[in-house]
Amino acid sequence: MTGMAISGKTRFVLMLGDPIVQVKAPAGFAAWARDTGTDAVMLPVAVPEAALPATLEALRGWRNCLGAVVTCPHKQAVAGLVDSVSPAVALTGACNVVRRAADGQLHGEMTDGLGFVAALRANGFDPAGRDVQLVGAGGAGAAIALALAEAGARLVITDRDKARQTALVDRLSGQGRVLCAQPAGFSAALVCNATPVGMNGDTAHPWPLEDLPRDCFVADIVPEPAETPWIVAARARGHRVQTGPEMVAGQMPAIVDILMAHRDGAEG
Amino acid sequence: MTGMAISGKTRFVLMLGDPIVQVKAPAGFAAWARDTGTDAVMLPVAVPEAALPATLEALRGWRNCLGAVVTCPHKQAVAGLVDSVSPAVALTGACNVVRRAADGQLHGEMTDGLGFVAALRANGFDPAGRDVQLVGAGGAGAAIALALAEAGARLVITDRDKARQTALVDRLSGQGRVLCAQPAGFSAALVCNATPVGMNGDTAHPWPLEDLPRDCFVADIVPEPAETPWIVAARARGHRVQTGPEMVAGQMPAIVDILMAHRDGAEG
């Protein structure tokens, strides 16, 4: 695979993580840049947490920098280093995209939830008016819950940590129909795992498949393995499924929209 | 032209300047990387001077960063922001390459002189034992003077600023035969312009061509225009010539050697 040649007119996005060797987003960004004829690259940077403040401070000054994409373990730390944040960042305390405005101000966004919903729609599932069972009320679960509520789903959130579960439901109470337990008449059209269950050799299931209606959509956000044992079992039972890598891929349009907002002309 | 795809395993070099749109080195670096199968890119960054300290501080922490190449107007400021410097940086007060060691320490080098001499050799001119007339005792002149003296030339340095001329000759007195005026028996085999004369529409000549022997090599370091009126006139008189862009191109091997020194294995 080849990319565009880098020149003095190229704009760029840093991808901040530690480690960084595993990231896939730079290839997705390169494909977007090639398809749209945009002279821009995404550069992965292996940055320890101690170097984050200097990195973001430097980035404020770089006129041909569009911002940064943030991956583990820096999403929380970066949320505290930007000048303004989106509602999803305020809710989750995590930030995965930083837009650099022309004046050097940094704005933090969180696209995990948008990417999840974008992937659902690409897979033919529109959450509007549907009943959704979400498992996991951590950072990723909160981002997905907000995006699903905003997309018009009726949402039940379950977490083994009941205090965390209740706190998230309370914070989302103004965002639509978000509940702590399945009410009468609730029929899950989508079950989503937003916990680490199934990651890296774990064979456990985050939610029982046995009682789900056959047409219930089953979605996981675990990135590795791409297909968790739960997803494999769901597919074998005839359910439509969505994997963690599909959520990641679904974020690229949202990431690009955020980074390119309010930009025009060449800088340098 | 295409480059290698950027991934999480790619190592990188920043190119720091302001403005940055005009730089050519990223293409030269990409050609080197392609020819050697090295997974590395050079990224131009438009960085105002106020952001240099944060930029270098951030760079110390980035494990997959090889360092930086520095262009106008930052060569002097960066010389004061690194942890150690080469003799050429100490002499000129300017730094155009920063190597990041694995422990984050930054070492500054200056390759203008090395690039000039490398280009001379590529053009079939070996300075060893030859008489050279150098015009200009500023930063670029000092770097070239040091490299020519180390390469074994006998060197006369001329500058309109006699104090600057004398100071440079004095500082180079331990480096070989460096003089303030042509001695008896001196016969220039090379005349080099290291002043801005001839840049951007200036038609003046930095040194008279009339009295030069026909086999004298004539070299300019002015980058724009690529061929100054002085170089055009020298070629018309039958002299072999070397242009500013040839000096720049001649630096890439030295730059790569510096950046890649003491590096091994993948980081990230």
Side-chain angles (χ1 to χ4, degrees), chain A residues 223-258:
Chain A
E224 180 69 32
E227 299 213 344
T228 57
W230 187 58
I231 285 291
V232 170
R235 177 178 278 131
R237 293 174 60 89
H239 294 286
R240 288 184 296 159
V241 301
Q242 175 172 306
T243 66
E246 289 181 271
M247 177 184 76
V248 173
Q251 293 185 56
M252 190 51 67
I255 290 171
V256 165
D257 282 349
I258 292 164

Side-chain angles (χ1 to χ4, degrees), chain A residues 1-3 5-8 12 18-21 23 26 41-48 51 54-55 57-58 61-64 267-268, chain B residues 1-3 5-9 12 18-21 23 26 41-48 51 54-55 57-58 61-64 267-268:
Chain A
M1 196 171 78
T2 56
I6 295 175
S7 79
F12 67 96
D18 185 15
I20 200 72
V21 292
V23 298
V41 297
M42 183 181 289
L43 184 75
V45 182
V47 52
T55 299
E57 183 58 29
W62 299 340
R63 288 198 313 283
N64 59 332
E267 283 130 293
Chain B
M1 196 171 78
T2 55
I6 296 175
S7 80
K9 296 177 183 173
F12 67 96
D18 186 15
I20 201 73
V21 292
V23 297
V41 297
M42 182 180 290
L43 184 75
V45 182
V47 51
T55 299
E57 183 57 28
W62 299 340
R63 289 198 313 282
N64 59 333
E267 283 130 293

Side-chain angles (χ1 to χ4, degrees), chain A residues 111-203:
Chain A
T111 63
D112 282 353
L114 297 174
F116 180 81
V117 170
L120 281 180
R121 290 182 174 136
N123 283 319
F125 183 90
D126 183 348
R130 310 299 291 275
D131 283 348
V132 177
Q133 172 65 52
L134 175 64
V135 189
I144 288 167
L146 177 61
L148 285 169
E150 289 182 339
R154 178 166 72 162
L155 191 61
V156 172
I157 303 174
T158 305
D159 196 290
R160 290 196 299 191
D161 180 338
K162 293 304 166 195
R164 186 160 80 164
Q165 171 187 322
T166 305
L168 178 59
V169 170
D170 287 349
R171 290 196 64 180
L172 289 172
S173 59
Q175 298 290 335
R177 296 165 298 164
V178 182
L179 309 165
C180 265
Q182 294 190 359
F186 184 94
S187 176
L190 165 66
V191 177
C192 171
N193 174 43
T195 77
V197 172
M199 194 178 287
N200 295 328
D202 179 5
T203 60

Side-chain angles (χ1 to χ4, degrees), chain A residues 14-28:
Chain A
L14 296 188
M15 178 162 202
L16 308 176
D18 185 15
I20 200 72
V21 292
Q22 77 288 352
V23 298
K24 303 284 188 291

Side-chain angles (χ1 to χ4, degrees), chain B residues 156-209:
Chain B
V156 171
I157 303 175
T158 304
D159 196 290
R160 288 195 300 190
D161 180 337
K162 294 304 167 193
R164 186 161 80 163
Q165 171 186 323
T166 305
L168 178 59
V169 170
D170 287 349
R171 290 195 64 180
L172 289 172
S173 60
Q175 299 289 335
R177 296 165 297 163
V178 181
L179 310 165
C180 267
Q182 295 190 358
F186 184 94
S187 176
L190 165 66
V191 177
C192 171
N193 173 43
T195 77
V197 172
M199 193 178 287
N200 294 330
D202 179 4
T203 59
H205 286 194
W207 191 262
L209 297 168

